[in-house]
């Protein structure tokens, strides 16, 4: 596989992580280096691990996973999106008790949801006999970089008080749209 193709593949896979990290930055409004590192590390790690897992599984697990992997991604994204939308409509902005999406189960769910496509890429690469190690490393690094950029872009958008509520609603809607697009790509919503 050509290096430019690997890079383009990595960028395409990083788009979900980028969109989710923007929404996360909007929700947090104030993003610390620790939060940025946590999310970028986890998104990059999951984006790098999933192709390796998919490649290793090859054809043996493919038939079991492909029937519902898109539903898992959609459910995880919808769960996080509904929390953001609920927060936006309640006017629950900032404060000590605001939930940090870069911690705990929420971060794990977002990491899995944004990297399920990478699992499918790993399965595909195993079918065409491509070594997975270089693509996995590049995919992980690009996802980490896009996540860092997205967090800071979201922070800028979320820090403008007048835009904060609308940005958080938009972030929730974007997460839902990503989930719906995943369903569409898997043929569930053929009318789009």
């Amino acid at each position: 596989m050509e290096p430019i193709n690997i890079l383009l593949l990595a960028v395409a896979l990083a788009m979900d992580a980028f969109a989710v990290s923007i929404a996360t930055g909007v929700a947090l409004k104030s993003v610390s280096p620790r939060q940025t590192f946590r999310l970028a590390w986890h998104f990059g790690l999951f984006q790098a691990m999933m192709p390796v897992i998919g490649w290793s599984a090859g054809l043996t697990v493919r038939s079991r996973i492909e029937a519902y992997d898109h539903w898992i991604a959609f459910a995880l994204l919808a769960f996080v999106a509904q929390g953001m939308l609920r927060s936006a409509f309640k006017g629950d902005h900032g404060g000590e008790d605001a939930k940090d999406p870069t911690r705990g189960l929420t971060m794990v769910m977002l990491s899995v949801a944004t990297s399920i496509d990478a699992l499918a890429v790993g399965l595909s690469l195993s079918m065409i006999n491509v070594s997975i190690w270089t693509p996995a490393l590049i995919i992980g690094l690009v996802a980490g970089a896009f996540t860092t950029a997205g967090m800071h872009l979201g922070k800028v958008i979320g820090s403008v008080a007048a835009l904060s509520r609308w940005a958080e609603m938009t972030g929730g809607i974007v997460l839902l749209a990503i989930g719906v697009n995943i369903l569409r790509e898997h043929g569930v919503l053929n009318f789009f």
Side-chain angles (χ1 to χ4, degrees):
M1 190 169 202
E2 295 292 321
I4 189 67
N5 291 337
I6 295 171
L7 184 60
L8 291 172
L9 176 65
V11 168
L13 289 172
M15 287 297 110
D16 287 352
F18 182 64
V20 170
S21 64
I22 290 172
T24 301
V26 166
L28 291 172
K29 290 168 204 60
S30 174
V31 177
S32 72
R34 177 177 250 180
Q35 290 168 317
T36 302
F37 175 77
R38 264 196 313 256
L39 199 65
W41 169 257
H42 281 86
F43 279 13
L45 180 66
F46 275 72
Q47 286 279 5
M49 282 184 355
M50 288 296 211
V52 173
I53 292 169
W55 183 80
S56 299
L59 295 174
T60 58
V61 180
R62 181 178 178 208
S63 62
R64 295 179 190 149
I65 294 174
E66 69 184 356
Y68 57 86
D69 64 347
H70 49 284
W71 287 108
I72 294 170
F74 174 77
L76 293 172
L77 289 169
F79 178 76
V80 175
Q82 65 82 25
M84 290 180 74
L85 291 170
R86 189 171 352 117
S87 173
F89 284 114
K90 282 175 147 177
D92 181 22
H93 301 292
E96 295 287 322
D97 57 343
K99 185 160 178 155
D100 182 355
T102 68
R103 301 185 75 115
L105 188 58
T106 301
M107 181 176 57
V108 172
M109 289 189 315
L110 289 173
S111 298
V112 170
T114 58
S115 63
I116 284 184
D117 287 351
L119 180 74
V121 166
L123 286 169
S124 300
L125 292 178
S126 73
M127 288 182 230
I128 59 173
N129 294 320
V130 171
S131 174
I132 194 62
W133 305 110
T134 300
L137 178 64
I138 293 170
I139 288 167
L141 291 173
V142 169
F146 273 58
T147 300
T148 300
M151 287 279 287
H152 291 285
L153 179 59
K155 174 181 77 170
V156 170
I157 295 168
S159 66
V160 178
L163 295 177
S164 181
R165 181 176 180 189
W166 295 106
E168 193 165 10
M169 284 191 312
T170 302
I173 291 167
V174 165
L175 292 182
L176 282 174
I178 291 170
V180 168
N181 190 49
I182 289 170
L183 293 178
R184 184 193 59 77
E185 288 173 350
H186 284 84
V188 174
L189 305 173
N190 289 329
F191 51 88
F192 286 117

